[in-house]
Amino acid sequence: MAVSMKKHEMPVQDPKERGKNFNEVALGYDEETAVAEAERCLHCKIPKCREGCPVAVHIPEFIEKIKERDFKSAIDIIHETNSLPAICGRVCPQENQCEKHCVLGIKGEPVAIGRLERFAADMAKDEEIKSIEYAPNAKKVAIIGAGPAGLTCAGDLAHKGYRVTIFEALHKAGGVLSYGIPEFRLPKDKVVAKEIEKIEKLGVKIEVNSVIGRLYTVDELMEEDGFDAVFIGTGAGLPKFQGIPGENLSGVYSANEFLTRCNLMKAYDFPNYATPIKVGKKVAVIGGGNVAMDGARTALRLGAENVYIVYRRSMEELPARKEEVEHAKEEGIEFKILTNPTEILGDDNGFVTGLCCVKMELGEPDASGRRRPIAVENSEFNLDVDTVIVAIGTGANPIIANTTKGLDTDKHGHIIADEKTLATSKEGVYAGGDIVTGAATVILAMGAGRTAAKSIDAYLKNK
Ligand SMILES: Cc1cc2nc3c(=O)[nH]c(=O)nc-3n(C[C@H](O)[C@H](O)[C@H](O)COP(=O)(O)OP(=O)(O)OC[C@H]3O[C@@H](n4cnc5c(N)ncnc54)[C@H](O)[C@@H]3O)c2cc1C
C-alpha cells in the first residue's frame, strides 16, 4: 500500500470555543490514528530523524513499537534518552528538529514524530516509582532552578544515588513549563505536575521560595551547608525591552509578567485567586516567537477583542513553532508583519492609547543569517490599542553571577560552561540550559541537565 504523503490531522478544540477557555487546544491522537501514523514511517536504514533530535531519541524504534501496539515498550525506548516526553511531544519545535530530517518530508509531510511521542507518553500508565535508598554517606548536590534543566539534572543524579536538593525562586517548580507556557498548550496538573511528582518521589527535595544569591549564595551552599557540587539551571527570565518611549505607561507588560500572572497566579480566575490582571479590548504583542504567540492567545482568552502580533520581519522568519502560528491565526490573531514599534502612546493619566509603528522591508542577511529589517521612509502609522505586551526576548538574571566568587560569564551575562562537560570556571559548579545558551528550547535545557548530571557524577567519584 502506498504511504500517505500527509500526516494524520491532530484533533483540536474548535477555534471559536477554545478562544474562550484555557483547556488544551491539541487533543492528541487516539490509538487507531497513532497506529496509522506510525505505519507511515519508512524505517530508513540510516534514520536522519534521530540526528535532528537534540537528545537522539531512538525514533524509528519507538514508532515501530506503536505500530505493534506495544505502547509500554514505545515509552520505555523514549525514556532511555528523554525524561520529559509528554512535555517534549507537546512543545518541541519538531519542524526544525526530528521532522525536518524525515525522508517523507522531501515530497510530502514528514511522519508526525512529535504527536507520536506525545501519544506514547500519554498512554503510559503511571509507573510505580520507588524512592531511592541513599547510602548514609551519599554526597550532596544542590540544583538551582526547577526548570527542565534543573529537574532533569536532579532526577538523573538521584538515580545515581546522590542526595539532591533543588532551590527554586518561585513558589512552584517547573520553570517556564509552569510560569510561561500556558495551560492550553501544556496542561499543568495532567502533565507538568506529574513529572515533578516523579522526581520528588525519587527523594529529591524541592525548596521553593528560595532565591539563591539572596537567601544563600552558591559559596555558602558549598562551604557552610556541605553541598559537594552545584548545578545552576536558572534560565533566562529577565525580560528585554526595546527602549522606546512609553514603555512605563500603565497597560504595558513584559510577556513574562503577563504570562506569570496568568499561568502561575491564575489571574484569569480573579477574584477566586488573589492576583488581578487588566487586559484591554485591543492588544498589541511585540515579537514573533513562542512567547509572543502565548501572550497573544492568552490575551484573547482573557477577553481581548482584537489582538495583533507586531513583528518586524516577514512570516518566513517568524521563529515561533509552526503549529502555534497556525493555531493563533485560526483563533483570529492578526499578524502585522514587517512592522516595528517606535513609541507607545498614552493619555494624560498614563494609560496606553496606541502604538506608533513604522513599516519595514528586508535587506541583506545580518549576523543571525536572517535578512535585516530596514525602516521604510515616511511609513509611520498608529495602531489603536490599549494594552501592549513586549515579547522580544529575555536575558540572564545577574543575581547568581554577581554573588558567586570565581564564576565567569560572557558579555551577555550568560554563565560560561565547558561545551562537553558543562563545568564552569568554579570547581564543583556546573551550569546548563538557558542560563548558558540564552533563551532556547525545553529539549536543549533537558539535554544539558542530563549532560551535567553525568559530569557531576564523574567529578564526585574522583573527588
Ligand atoms: C512563554 C514561553 C514559551 C515557550 N515555548 C516553548 C516551546 O513551545 N518549545 C520549547 O522548546 N521551548 C519553549 N520556550 C523556551 C523554554 O521554555 C526554555 O528554553 C526552557 O524552559 C529553559 O529551561 P531552563 O531549565 O534552562 O530554565 P527555566 O525553564 O527558565 O527555569 C529556570 C528556573 O530557575 C529559577 N530561578 C532563576 N533564578 C533563580 C535563583 N536565583 N534562585 C533559585 N531559582 C532561580 C526560575 O524561577 C525558574 O523556575 C518557551 C519559553 C517561554 C518563556
Side-chain angles (χ1 to χ4, degrees), residues 366-442:
D366 61 15
S368 71
R370 295 178 303 171
R371 292 176 64 197
R372 185 193 299 274
I374 304 165
V376 176
E377 254 182 68
N378 300 323
S379 63
E380 289 82 8
F381 69 100
N382 287 349
L383 199 58
D384 177 21
V385 293
D386 49 20
T387 306
V388 174
I389 300 170
V390 183
I392 58 165
T394 47
N397 189 313
I399 189 172
I400 300 270
N402 288 349
T403 55
T404 309
K405 285 183 225 139
L407 188 67
D408 290 348
T409 55
D410 67 13
K411 62 177 182 192
H412 303 292
H414 300 135
I415 296 175
I416 298 173
D418 179 85
E419 242 175 68
K420 283 210 178 90
T421 63
L422 297 180
T424 67
S425 53
K426 188 175 174 75
E427 198 195 319
V429 178
Y430 295 73
D434 283 5
I435 187 63
V436 169
T437 57
T441 60
V442 171

Side-chain angles (χ1 to χ4, degrees), residues 100-260:
K100 185 177 171 185
H101 298 267
C102 173
V103 172
L104 279 185
I106 298 170
K107 290 205 172 141
E109 289 183 351
V111 174
I113 300 168
R115 293 173 187 174
L116 290 176
E117 183 182 39
R118 167 187 166 158
F119 169 80
D122 288 356
M123 286 296 280
K125 300 273 172 290
D126 285 342
E127 331 134 57
E128 206 187 301
I129 298 185
K130 290 195 189 98
S131 63
I132 292 168
E133 296 278 322
Y134 293 98
N137 56 351
K139 289 189 171 147
K140 279 173 48 173
V141 183
I143 308 275
I144 309 176
L151 289 170
T152 307
C153 188
D156 283 12
L157 284 169
H159 277 295
K160 293 179 199 295
Y162 295 99
R163 282 182 187 278
V164 183
T165 305
I166 305 182
F167 296 94
E168 166 55 48
L170 295 172
H171 65 270
K172 212 167 188 179
V176 170
L177 308 177
S178 290
Y179 79 75
I181 303 181
E183 178 76 22
F184 57 81
R185 269 209 306 133
L186 185 61
K188 307 299 161 216
D189 289 346
K190 190 175 130 194
V191 181
V192 182
K194 273 198 181 166
E195 295 301 339
I196 295 167
E197 213 180 283
K198 279 188 212 162
I199 289 165
E200 284 185 303
K201 277 192 185 158
L202 291 174
V204 171
K205 269 200 233 154
I206 305 185
E207 303 272 0
V208 292
N209 299 316
S210 303
V211 183
I212 300 303
R214 286 281 177 273
L215 196 60
Y216 322 98
T217 62
V218 170
D219 296 300
E220 283 166 356
L221 290 174
M222 298 180 87
E223 288 160 19
E224 293 171 24
D225 295 326
F227 285 98
D228 300 283
V230 172
F231 173 74
I232 305 172
T234 45
L238 193 69
K240 287 184 186 161
F241 285 86
Q242 276 182 290
I244 57 175
E247 284 175 343
N248 288 330
L249 289 165
S250 287
V252 180
Y253 293 93
S254 72
N256 261 34
E257 180 196 343
F258 183 75
L259 291 168
T260 303

